[in-house]
Amino acid sequence: ARTSLEQYAAALADLNEVVRKSPNLAAGWAARGNARYHTGDPAAAADYREAFRLDPTAAARVVLRLVREQAKH
């Protein structure tokens, strides 16, 4: 939710917890990659790679949703 509000630093803290609690959840990795990308963190690429390694379909769904949301701004 914070990513849709462009509160990427706050979202990153939440998403770190998501990834810690659910390391096999591709959506968490993809969302954290997005937050990292928007904060200029080069680790974003590793998060995206992990998301697509875990579940390419779910990762693509999340990335496309985020891109659509961000294109509206």
Side-chain angles (χ1 to χ4, degrees):
R2 291 183 203 244
T3 54
S4 63
L5 299 173
E6 297 184 10
Q7 298 174 352
Y8 299 110
L12 189 53
D14 295 343
L15 292 164
N16 284 335
E17 189 67 12
V18 169
V19 168
R20 188 184 69 74
K21 288 183 176 180
S22 301
N24 293 319
L25 182 65
W29 288 95
R32 188 173 80 169
N34 182 66
R36 283 183 160 171
Y37 168 79
H38 284 285
T39 59
D41 186 342
D47 283 356
Y48 285 131
R49 278 193 298 274
E50 182 63 10
F52 280 94
R53 185 191 69 77
L54 289 168
D55 187 339
T57 302
R61 223 177 267 127
V62 170
V63 170
L64 289 172
R65 179 182 55 80
L66 292 167
V67 167
R68 276 194 303 267
E69 287 176 5
Q70 291 157 15
K72 294 177 185 177
H73 299 283

